[in-house]
Amino acid sequence: ARHHVLVAARVSLHDHRHAAQQRGGLHPRLLDEDDLLQECNSQKRCEAFLTSTPPQLDCLVRDTAAIEAAAGEADFSSILLPAPLSDVPDAPLLSLDGASDALRHAVAVVDLLAHQAPLLTSSYAHRTVLLSRLFTRTMPLPLPRTSSGAPPPGCFWAPPADAPVRSETRSAILASLRKLARHFAVASLALPPTRELDALRVLTSAAIAAVADAAFRL
């Protein structure tokens, strides 16, 4: 290490003398060991000054490793927020905008129930019942299409030609259906299996698939 420092000091001192010679302020002469040692000592003092902490700032120096070791694991928040189940409508829906709002409220409720699952004893059951009731009783299902492939008159998912569905409404419905389908699959499969639950799972999944197909065709 000392050899490298001496070499660097020799090069630095030679550059300074060469520049001074070009300006006419210094005559060329041989470099002696004292000049090199003096240059090395000055460089060491500069490095020590740059790498050391001033005495006035010792109170600001913290050992981050010791702090992280003493932090421990983060505690789960014990604040229980009420789930607004009443935001999801219970009466049959009358418009596509109302269906979009109902799906959006359902996503917010099931997300809240999922996040607070460690604090609730019936999070999976609440999500399963809420979504099954939404898609089997509240959400109108699409009617079978005619032989020509057109939706029958009066179908909820076949808006009139003079009132087309907006693109943002269709996108919101499909995005909500995707989230709700995943929530229902997780919640229903987490419950103890029974014949009634199997029937509820099949019917609700079929209703979600039918609504998603009708929403794609809007």
Side-chain angles (χ1 to χ4, degrees):
R2 178 180 178 140
H3 173 71
H4 293 293
V5 173
L6 288 174
V7 172
R10 181 180 290 108
V11 173
S12 177
L13 187 57
H14 181 271
D15 292 340
H16 286 301
R17 293 187 180 279
H18 180 70
Q21 180 184 358
Q22 293 294 332
R23 295 193 300 267
L26 184 65
H27 295 285
R29 66 180 180 87
L30 296 176
L31 300 177
D32 53 4
E33 190 68 19
D34 295 336
D35 294 333
L36 295 178
L37 292 177
Q38 183 179 2
E39 184 72 15
C40 292
N41 293 332
S42 63
Q43 287 189 2
K44 291 181 180 179
R45 287 194 298 269
C46 292
E47 293 177 359
F49 175 77
L50 294 176
T51 57
S52 61
T53 304
Q56 297 82 0
L57 302 180
D58 287 339
C59 60
L60 301 179
V61 179
R62 296 181 179 179
D63 189 1
T64 57
I67 294 177
E68 293 296 333
E73 298 181 357
D75 295 333
F76 188 80
S77 177
S78 59
I79 300 177
L80 184 62
L81 300 177
L85 299 176
S86 58
D87 289 349
V88 182
D90 195 25
L93 302 175
L94 302 177
S95 64
L96 291 176
D97 291 334
S100 178
D101 293 339
L103 294 174
R104 178 169 53 83
H105 289 305
V107 169
V109 172
V110 295
D111 280 344
L112 182 59
L113 291 174
H115 293 161
Q116 299 184 140
L119 302 177
L120 299 174
T121 57
S122 56
S123 174
Y124 297 111
H126 276 92
R127 281 182 278 170
T128 302
V129 173
L130 176 67
L131 296 181
S132 63
R133 185 175 182 83
L134 173 64
F135 286 103
T136 58
R137 296 191 180 187
T138 304
M139 185 74 63
L141 296 179
L143 299 177
R145 291 180 173 265
T146 60
S147 57
S148 61
C155 179
F156 179 83
W157 296 98
D162 57 347
V165 180
R166 295 176 300 178
S167 176
E168 57 268 21
T169 302
R170 180 172 61 253
S171 300
I173 290 175
L174 293 175
S176 299
L177 287 174
R178 176 178 177 272
K179 294 180 181 179
L180 294 178
R182 297 176 65 179
H183 272 289
F184 181 76
V186 171
S188 60
L189 293 175
L191 298 176
T194 60
R195 289 186 176 183
E196 293 78 7
L197 180 59
D198 289 341
L200 185 66
R201 186 186 300 115
V202 171
L203 292 176
T204 305
S205 300
I208 295 175
V211 171
D213 179 75
F216 270 116
R217 299 173 186 268
L218 291 177

